[in-house]
Amino acid sequence: MEEVDHLAHERTKAQFDVDAMKIIWAGSRHAFELSDRISRLVASDPAFRKDNRTMLGRKELFKNTLRKTAHVWKQIIELHLSEEEASRLRFYVDEPAFTDLHWGMFIPAIKGQGTDDQQKKWLPLAYKMQIIGCYAQTELGHGSNVQGLETTATFDPETDEFIIHSPTLTSSKWWPGGLGKISTHAVVYARLITDGRDHGVHGFIVQLRSLDDHSSLPGITVGDIGMKFGNGAYNTMDNGVLRFDHVRIPRDQMLMRVSQVTREGKYRQSDVPRQLVYGTMVYVRQTIVSDASCALSRAVCIATRYSAVRRQFGSQNGGQETQVIDYKTQQSRLFPLLASAYAFRFVGEWLKWLYTDVTQRLQANDFSTLPEAHACTAGLKSLTTTATADGIEECRKLCGGHGYLCSSGLPELFAVYVPACTYEGDNVVLLLQVARFLMKTVSQLGSAKQPVGTTAYMGRVEHLLKCRCDVQKAEDWLQPSVVMEAFEARAARMSVACAQNLSKFASPEEGFAELSADLVEAAVAHCQLIVVSK
Amino acid sequence: MEEVDHLAHERTKAQFDVDAMKIIWAGSRHAFELSDRISRLVASDPAFRKDNRTMLGRKELFKNTLRKTAHVWKQIIELHLSEEEASRLRFYVDEPAFTDLHWGMFIPAIKGQGTDDQQKKWLPLAYKMQIIGCYAQTELGHGSNVQGLETTATFDPETDEFIIHSPTLTSSKWWPGGLGKISTHAVVYARLITDGRDHGVHGFIVQLRSLDDHSSLPGITVGDIGMKFGNGAYNTMDNGVLRFDHVRIPRDQMLMRVSQVTREGKYRQSDVPRQLVYGTMVYVRQTIVSDASCALSRAVCIATRYSAVRRQFGSQNGGQETQVIDYKTQQSRLFPLLASAYAFRFVGEWLKWLYTDVTQRLQANDFSTLPEAHACTAGLKSLTTTATADGIEECRKLCGGHGYLCSSGLPELFAVYVPACTYEGDNVVLLLQVARFLMKTVSQLGSAKQPVGTTAYMGRVEHLLKCRCDVQKAEDWLQPSVVMEAFEARAARMSVACAQNLSKFASPEEGFAELSADLVEAAVAHCQLIVVSK
Ligand SMILES: Cc1cc2nc3c(=O)[nH]c(=O)nc-3n(C[C@H](O)[C@H](O)[C@H](O)COP(=O)(O)OP(=O)(O)OC[C@H]3O[C@@H](n4cnc5c(N)ncnc54)[C@H](O)[C@@H]3O)c2cc1C
Ligand SMILES: Cc1cc2nc3c(=O)[nH]c(=O)nc-3n(C[C@H](O)[C@H](O)[C@H](O)COP(=O)(O)OP(=O)(O)OC[C@H]3O[C@@H](n4cnc5c(N)ncnc54)[C@H](O)[C@@H]3O)c2cc1C
Ligand SMILES: [Ca+2]
């Protein structure tokens, strides 16, 4: 049957320069051209086909991802791709793959927490993929509460080794991506014990499988945790379970940049500031915010095109029916999501700047903005991932029955996206952290400590508490300053109200627990303000 | 490892009679015992195992459902199950199956729209499953707008036959469950054309496949439309595509209870009122509301149990951590969903009464309450399915990482549930129908036509527009009458505001289109009031 370009007419109606917008969206002409080139490379290579992804059984699906990941690696080598190109290539292949954690967490953990010697030893192996690593933090019993992890790493001064052990069922590592079938190594988080004393959770490099035949090493039990949401989605990934039965590793496999255990078993802090760890968190969460904008824009793109092509009802005299995009209800559901996708894109770019700023300050031993930067990225991670997950599902519904078919792309997009609300910090737990920071900020108002960065508006709290919105007619809302002040006033008032209610409790902790639902709302209002302001 | 009953302690704390509540939930002691007995039957029969459902490839999955459906049928015969028992059995087997549409739409369509003779001929075949039927209404190009269907049924007086034909690509039937692989027959909706005149959409019984070798009949192209959301979910079902190339069927296969075509090709209305069709809609939507409560209660049950068992943070002096159910944020997300599950249960029971009432009135030729009953069920279908879909996903998130595993049950529950927001009327399209009815009701206020049933509160509109809530302290909200008046006042004010804004437009249709987003909100407020009042 003939092919018709149903969108051509809509496209001619754009009131802005589409090519210029493409560049703005990509961030720069260079970024646009890179994306364009790599996306074509992926689209034209049959090894990367995606159309069968939702139809394969689990085993076939996983093998398929293995083949793709190997092919990606081959392409990177053969085409001499830069790090930037390689990362774009992985992005467009568009499947959770076991190497995600290798590049995304294993290597960064060694970079951030390893000494220079450790980096020199392990990073070349990892870069050449002679070893494959995963990130084994979460256990069956503890995800959000990392300090509650139960795996132990007990120092044995006799042999100069740590003994890694899983003392309980709940201490089993549970979830790490790349663990179930593939990884040869892991960064394992465990309670460090020397001389009977518990020093809390630290990271260790542990070999899991033989480099000769890939069999699991003695004392190690490892497997896949089974099916996850969706057809393809994270089922292309071997999220795993891992138990240790007194597994011995050399002392120098504890990541020792921030704290060390000596040959004699003494525990010491180095002079590298612990706060460096938060710098990495700011980095990871910044990428999550950018990813949110990508995911939401894909969903919005599908739903917008569908809404322009789909016609339903309203035909007069046998003419064409109305495009569903012309229904106000469709618009009132779709357009705010479109706006959000852009907003998250710009706030993501701003977060990149924030990360650079924080890094430079850390290098100059200036920790003053770190709490604010940390609260800001935690809050934005929570806000943007929640909005994106809900937004993808709304886009799916906007496509009627067709949105329920995998061929629309939306079911998979949802299933693969939603865990972003849970990993790298459960979204509610993160908002509670933001709220804690806001309450501290409010309590310090009037003191010498001035609110900085995204909390600077709190400095005008007296004005914000009593100002009244002077909007007279609808058009007044088009003034950015009016919108900003409304968001500022709302955020400030909610925070101050929470702080006042908190002060009525005998203990702050009790008050915080009782009021936590309100506190979360105040945190959301603060984060919405940040998005609006950037 | 030892099995611990982590919930035992929680269970001893119930402040109500749990056994009495089970009966109330089930509707009656009889219903409870029936459910209990049949659920055990399913749980103890290995043929009905569910644990492998998410792991099978599409083909294996589908074969598995075929085996189960055949086994259900065998059990029904062997155990001489009553219709009530059989329907419970299918409920607990808990997989969309091709027979769902056979029992749920094909047979009811023949019962509702077929003449006595047609019923006598087709129903026994269907009851014995000597034929298997599906419901072929939606086309690629038309779902919500049924009046826009394009398939034609042209009467040929020469041979006394209808010629069923798919004139365009968009006229292909698309979505019918049971169509892709299984059904031998379908009720097909097509534009009736006699003597060159188009009489709009009517239903026809069409044989699709041979009863000897199941091959598709000449002129019929039929297939499966591919993968849908989730692992198992609707992938156990063969939703299909169907095209006709001038397929001939005898004249007596048009469903002729309400309108007929004579031997000479004359089109006639019978004296059976068309409104009967709406009676069937009230019935189907009432079952959807009951199903919403089932689905939501299952999700809430899983999330509540998890929240009681899961402990995270807050351990003092090495003691146990806090049960996450004790966090106010967890409560503020979970408990409203628990309350909704109960509310939907009770409003579902009330709808059963409404259906009986409407049916009795229809039989007595009293159509006066039909528009109100129709708007009410349409609105409640929309409200409860939207809330349930969102609620299941919230329950999934409440279970942290574990909720993302299929073994939690929640991903499948979501994937199999969400199309309820789309089928049997897109939820937004339904709310617009409710809004239309509300605007009509408001416009008739003060006339002789008094608002009835769920719109009776509109009769007190003057009071509701000016009354003020006299709540002084938090406890006052515990009085049902206070809550009711607040919901009534809100719903009345929103409807009246919309009506006033509508009157400013030159044409009501233009106004309705422009204000449709507000109208949908007014409709939601009205539906929420109904839920609160029952
Ligand atoms: C797809 C996926 C991939 C993953 N990959 C990895 C990986 O590679 N490596 C790894 O180590 N881990 C990984 N994880 C695990 C992930 O980091 C955890 O699931 C996450 O940290 C959340 O913890 P949890 O599952 O224990 O949730 P829980 O903490 O059990 O949360 C359950 C509920 O309790 C609530 N809650 C918890 N604490 C509080 C509190 N203090 N106050 C109020 N409410 C609270 C939460 O809001 C939530 O509603 C992955 C998870 C997923 C889903
Ligand atoms: C799992 C599943 C099973 C199904 N089983 C069957 C079956 O057995 N037999 C069968 O015949 N069909 C079946 N269907 C089809 C189903 O009935 C349709 O998908 C449904 O009627 C919605 O129509 P649509 O898909 O055309 O949505 P559309 O009408 O295309 O809706 C797309 C968007 O447009 C909006 N929209 C449409 N009209 C308006 C309007 N007037 N004003 C404002 N907004 C509007 C909607 O709100 C929606 O956001 C099934 C569908 C699913 C998902
Ligand atoms: Ca599958």
Side-chain angles (χ1 to χ4, degrees):
Chain A
M1 307 194 187
E2 82 285 27
E3 277 209 29
V4 189
D5 183 350
H6 291 281
L7 290 172
H9 177 63
E10 294 295 321
R11 290 202 163 104
T12 62
K13 291 196 295 186
Q15 288 172 351
F16 55 91
D17 180 340
V18 174
D19 287 322
M21 183 59 94
K22 282 181 185 168
I23 311 284
I24 292 177
W25 179 265
S28 68
R29 175 164 299 277
H30 166 76
F32 170 70
E33 281 167 0
L34 183 86
S35 286
D36 196 49
R37 183 160 46 83
I38 304 288
S39 67
R40 285 171 205 279
L41 187 89
V42 172
S44 63
D45 188 335
F48 293 134
R49 65 179 280 205
K50 300 173 183 179
D51 58 341
N52 59 353
R53 179 163 57 189
T54 59
M55 278 173 284
L56 303 172
R58 176 78 202 281
K59 226 177 196 162
E60 243 335 296
L61 180 70
F62 190 69
K63 281 193 202 158
N64 197 41
T65 308
L66 285 185
R67 272 192 297 269
K68 284 191 190 180
T69 318
H71 189 62
V72 166
W73 186 238
K74 234 176 82 191
Q75 293 286 80
I76 291 173
I77 308 280
E78 281 180 10
L79 304 174
H80 304 287
L81 299 189
S82 67
E83 218 178 297
E84 198 186 13
E85 290 168 324
S87 122
R88 278 283 96 179
L89 179 59
R90 282 191 290 266
F91 173 81
Y92 283 114
V93 169
D94 188 29
E95 280 192 350
F98 57 88
T99 49
D100 290 0
L101 283 298
H102 176 77
W103 299 108
M105 297 290 277
F106 181 73
I107 290 178
I110 295 174
K111 272 193 187 167
Q113 296 157 46
T115 61
D116 289 346
D117 282 350
Q118 290 178 319
Q119 298 194 29
K120 223 174 278 163
K121 171 171 176 191
W122 295 99
L123 290 181
L125 295 170
Y127 282 134
K128 285 183 234 144
M129 294 203 82
Q130 288 167 344
I131 63 173
I132 301 174
C134 66
Y135 185 84
Q137 177 176 302
T138 306
E139 297 173 355
L140 201 49
H142 290 91
S144 303
N145 182 13
V146 178
Q147 297 315 318
L149 293 177
E150 297 174 77
T151 304
T152 50
T154 311
F155 183 62
D156 179 356
E158 306 252 320
T159 60
D160 198 22
E161 291 171 320
F162 291 106
I163 305 164
I164 312 286
H165 188 60
S166 311
T168 58
L169 175 62
T170 46
S171 72
S172 311
K173 292 292 170 189
W174 188 264
W175 268 118
L179 169 65
K181 300 273 177 218
I182 299 300
S183 294
T184 60
H185 289 67
V187 168
V188 172
Y189 289 86
R191 314 199 74 80
L192 169 64
I193 295 170
T194 62
D195 205 13
R197 278 195 52 201
D198 182 334
H199 303 283
V201 174
H202 290 73
F204 301 83
I205 301 177
V206 184
Q207 182 170 353
L208 307 174
R209 292 184 169 97
S210 155
L211 295 180
D212 298 326
D213 64 3
H214 205 66
S215 62
S216 55
L217 296 184
I220 288 186
T221 311
V222 61
D224 185 290
I225 59 171
M227 290 299 288
K228 289 142 283 183
F229 204 166
N231 289 283
Y234 268 85
N235 294 308
T236 58
M237 177 85 102
D238 56 334
N239 297 86
V241 52
L242 169 64
R243 290 182 58 78
F244 301 99
D245 182 8
H246 299 95
V247 172
R248 289 177 169 266
I249 60 168
R251 181 168 56 90
D252 67 5
Q253 285 179 211
M254 169 174 159
L255 293 171
M256 296 226 206
R257 184 161 177 216
V258 176
S259 36
Q260 290 108 30
V261 171
T262 65
R263 176 63 191 91
E264 297 74 39
K266 289 266 164 302
Y267 179 71
R268 284 202 318 222
Q269 301 285 337
S270 77
D271 50 7
V272 177
R274 293 195 85 85
Q275 285 92 331
L276 278 183
V277 182
Y278 292 103
T280 315
M281 267 197 189
V282 171
Y283 174 75
V284 173
R285 288 181 183 157
Q286 165 251 307
T287 61
I288 293 183
V289 172
S290 296
D291 290 349
S293 136
C294 285
L296 186 55
S297 64
R298 288 167 71 178
V300 166
C301 179
I302 296 169
T304 305
R305 287 179 182 172
Y306 179 80
S307 300
V309 169
R310 184 70 170 176
R311 292 171 180 274
Q312 203 78 187
F313 291 106
S315 141
Q316 252 113 32
N317 317 322
Q320 277 200 309
E321 291 167 280
T322 308
Q323 290 169 290
V324 299
I325 203 172
D326 289 339
Y327 292 117
K328 296 282 168 199
T329 47
Q330 193 85 353
Q331 296 177 359
S332 69
R333 294 156 71 199
L334 181 59
F335 294 173
L337 298 175
L338 175 62
S340 299
Y342 275 98
F344 297 168
R345 176 82 194 117
F346 300 136
V347 85
E349 283 296 296
W350 172 77
L351 275 180
K352 270 192 204 156
W353 168 84
L354 183 74
Y355 173 65
T356 319
D357 182 62
V358 163
T359 313
Q360 283 167 357
R361 286 170 189 265
L362 286 181
Q363 274 156 3
N365 267 317
D366 168 7
F367 304 123
S368 63
T369 63
L370 197 58
E372 185 264 323
H374 183 246
C376 165
T377 45
L380 289 175
K381 183 274 178 184
S382 175
L383 185 80
T384 57
T385 55
T386 296
T388 298
D390 294 349
I392 296 170
E393 171 61 8
E394 185 68 8
C395 286
R396 200 190 60 66
K397 290 207 185 94
L398 283 162
C399 295
H402 296 294
Y404 190 64
L405 278 174
C406 287
S407 51
S408 75
L410 293 166
E412 278 299 283
L413 195 55
F414 183 75
V416 82
Y417 189 76
V418 284
C421 299
T422 303
Y423 60 56
E424 287 301 318
D426 171 274
N427 279 355
V428 170
V429 174
L430 290 178
L431 289 174
L432 288 168
Q433 291 175 13
V434 175
R436 229 172 250 283
F437 171 71
L438 289 175
M439 291 307 101
K440 202 170 162 188
T441 307
V442 173
S443 74
Q444 290 172 342
L445 289 176
S447 78
K449 227 179 146 98
Q450 281 297 312
V452 294
T454 54
T455 52
Y457 70 101
M458 291 272 197
R460 290 179 286 113
V461 67
E462 287 189 22
H463 168 69
L464 291 173
L465 286 183
K466 57 174 196 267
C467 70
R468 295 186 56 88
C469 173
D470 44 31
V471 161
Q472 305 285 346
K473 47 191 191 309
E475 296 81 60
D476 294 345
W477 283 112
L478 294 175
Q479 272 184 277
S481 62
V482 172
V483 175
M484 274 293 295
E485 191 170 82
F487 272 88
E488 287 180 350
R490 182 176 68 129
R493 287 170 197 204
M494 287 171 83
S495 277
V496 169
C498 281
Q500 282 167 348
N501 289 333
L502 268 181
S503 66
K504 294 178 198 152
F505 284 83
S507 103
E509 275 319 297
E510 191 202 328
F512 199 86
E514 281 299 316
L515 298 177
S516 57
D518 296 343
L519 284 158
V520 161
E521 284 182 23
V524 170
H526 171 71
C527 298
Q528 287 174 339
L529 163 63
I530 303 179
V531 173
V532 171
S533 69
K534 295 304 153 195
Chain B
M1 308 196 187
E2 82 284 28
E3 277 211 26
V4 190
D5 183 351
H6 290 281
L7 290 172
H9 177 64
E10 293 295 323
R11 290 201 161 106
T12 60
K13 291 197 295 187
Q15 287 171 351
F16 56 89
D17 180 340
V18 174
D19 287 323
M21 184 58 94
K22 283 181 184 167
I23 311 286
I24 291 176
W25 179 266
S28 66
R29 175 164 299 277
H30 166 76
F32 169 72
E33 281 167 1
L34 183 85
S35 287
D36 195 52
R37 183 159 47 83
I38 303 289
S39 67
R40 285 171 204 277
L41 187 89
V42 172
S44 64
D45 188 335
F48 292 134
R49 66 179 279 203
K50 300 172 183 179
D51 58 341
N52 59 352
R53 179 163 56 188
T54 59
M55 279 174 283
L56 303 173
R58 175 78 201 281
K59 224 175 195 164
E60 242 337 293
L61 180 70
F62 190 69
K63 281 192 201 157
N64 196 40
T65 308
L66 286 185
R67 271 192 297 270
K68 283 191 191 179
T69 319
H71 190 62
V72 165
W73 185 238
K74 234 177 83 191
Q75 293 286 80
I76 291 172
I77 307 279
E78 279 180 11
L79 304 174
H80 303 286
L81 299 188
S82 67
E83 219 177 296
E84 198 184 14
E85 289 167 324
S87 122
R88 279 281 99 180
L89 179 59
R90 283 190 290 265
F91 173 80
Y92 283 114
V93 169
D94 189 28
E95 281 191 349
F98 56 89
T99 48
D100 291 0
L101 282 297
H102 176 77
W103 299 108
M105 296 291 277
F106 181 73
I107 290 178
I110 296 174
K111 271 192 187 168
Q113 297 158 45
T115 60
D116 290 345
D117 282 351
Q118 290 176 318
Q119 298 193 29
K120 222 174 278 162
K121 171 170 176 191
W122 295 99
L123 290 181
L125 295 170
Y127 282 132
K128 283 183 235 146
M129 294 204 80
Q130 287 167 345
I131 63 174
I132 301 175
C134 66
Y135 186 85
Q137 177 176 303
T138 306
E139 298 173 356
L140 202 49
H142 289 91
S144 302
N145 182 12
V146 178
Q147 296 315 318
L149 294 176
E150 298 175 77
T151 303
T152 50
T154 310
F155 184 63
D156 178 357
E158 305 253 317
T159 59
D160 199 20
E161 289 170 322
F162 290 107
I163 305 164
I164 312 285
H165 188 59
S166 310
T168 59
L169 175 62
T170 46
S171 72
S172 311
K173 293 292 170 189
W174 188 264
W175 269 118
L179 168 65
K181 300 273 178 218
I182 299 300
S183 293
T184 59
H185 288 67
V187 168
V188 171
Y189 289 86
R191 314 199 73 80
L192 169 64
I193 295 169
T194 61
D195 204 14
R197 280 196 50 204
D198 183 333
H199 303 281
V201 174
H202 290 72
F204 300 84
I205 300 176
V206 184
Q207 182 169 354
L208 307 175
R209 291 182 169 97
S210 155
L211 294 181
D212 297 327
D213 64 4
H214 205 66
S215 62
S216 55
L217 297 184
I220 286 186
T221 312
V222 61
D224 184 290
I225 60 172
M227 289 298 289
K228 288 142 284 182
F229 204 165
N231 289 284
Y234 268 86
N235 294 308
T236 57
M237 175 85 101
D238 56 334
N239 297 86
V241 51
L242 170 64
R243 290 182 57 78
F244 301 98
D245 182 8
H246 300 94
V247 172
R248 289 177 168 267
I249 58 167
R251 181 170 54 91
D252 67 6
Q253 285 178 214
M254 168 176 161
L255 293 171
M256 297 224 205
R257 184 160 175 217
V258 177
S259 37
Q260 290 107 29
V261 170
T262 64
R263 177 66 192 87
E264 297 75 37
K266 289 265 162 303
Y267 179 70
R268 284 204 316 222
Q269 302 285 337
S270 77
D271 50 9
V272 177
R274 291 193 86 83
Q275 286 93 330
L276 276 184
V277 181
Y278 292 103
T280 315
M281 270 198 188
V282 171
Y283 174 75
V284 173
R285 290 181 181 156
Q286 164 253 305
T287 63
I288 293 183
V289 172
S290 295
D291 289 349
S293 137
C294 284
L296 185 54
S297 65
R298 286 168 71 177
V300 166
C301 179
I302 295 169
T304 305
R305 287 180 182 170
Y306 179 80
S307 301
V309 168
R310 184 69 169 177
R311 293 172 179 273
Q312 203 78 187
F313 292 105
S315 141
Q316 253 113 31
N317 317 321
Q320 278 201 310
E321 292 167 281
T322 308
Q323 290 169 290
V324 298
I325 203 170
D326 288 339
Y327 291 118
K328 297 280 167 197
T329 46
Q330 194 84 354
Q331 294 176 1
S332 69
R333 295 156 71 200
L334 181 59
F335 293 173
L337 298 175
L338 175 63
S340 299
Y342 275 98
F344 298 168
R345 176 81 194 117
F346 299 136
V347 85
E349 284 295 297
W350 172 77
L351 276 180
K352 271 193 204 155
W353 168 84
L354 183 74
Y355 173 65
T356 319
D357 182 62
V358 163
T359 314
Q360 281 167 359
R361 285 169 190 266
L362 287 181
Q363 275 156 4
N365 267 317
D366 168 8
F367 305 121
S368 63
T369 63
L370 197 57
E372 185 266 324
H374 184 244
C376 165
T377 44
L380 288 174
K381 183 273 179 187
S382 175
L383 184 80
T384 58
T385 55
T386 296
T388 296
D390 294 349
I392 295 170
E393 171 61 7
E394 185 68 8
C395 286
R396 201 191 59 65
K397 291 207 186 94
L398 283 163
C399 295
H402 296 295
Y404 191 64
L405 278 173
C406 288
S407 51
S408 74
L410 292 166
E412 278 299 282
L413 195 55
F414 183 74
V416 81
Y417 189 76
V418 284
C421 299
T422 303
Y423 59 56
E424 288 301 317
D426 171 273
N427 280 355
V428 171
V429 175
L430 290 179
L431 288 174
L432 288 168
Q433 291 175 12
V434 175
R436 230 170 247 285
F437 171 72
L438 289 175
M439 291 307 102
K440 201 168 164 190
T441 307
V442 172
S443 74
Q444 290 173 342
L445 288 177
S447 78
K449 224 176 149 97
Q450 281 299 310
V452 293
T454 54
T455 51
Y457 70 103
M458 293 270 198
R460 288 178 286 115
V461 68
E462 287 188 21
H463 168 70
L464 291 173
L465 286 185
K466 58 172 196 270
C467 70
R468 295 185 56 87
C469 173
D470 43 30
V471 161
Q472 306 284 347
K473 45 189 194 309
E475 295 81 60
D476 293 347
W477 283 111
L478 295 175
Q479 271 183 280
S481 62
V482 172
V483 176
M484 273 295 292
E485 191 170 80
F487 274 88
E488 286 180 352
R490 182 176 69 130
R493 286 169 196 204
M494 289 171 81
S495 276
V496 169
C498 282
Q500 282 167 348
N501 289 333
L502 268 181
S503 65
K504 295 176 196 152
F505 285 83
S507 101
E509 273 319 297
E510 190 202 331
F512 198 86
E514 281 301 315
L515 299 176
S516 57
D518 297 342
L519 284 159
V520 161
E521 284 182 24
V524 170
H526 171 70
C527 297
Q528 287 174 339
L529 163 63
I530 303 179
V531 173
V532 171
S533 69
K534 295 305 154 196

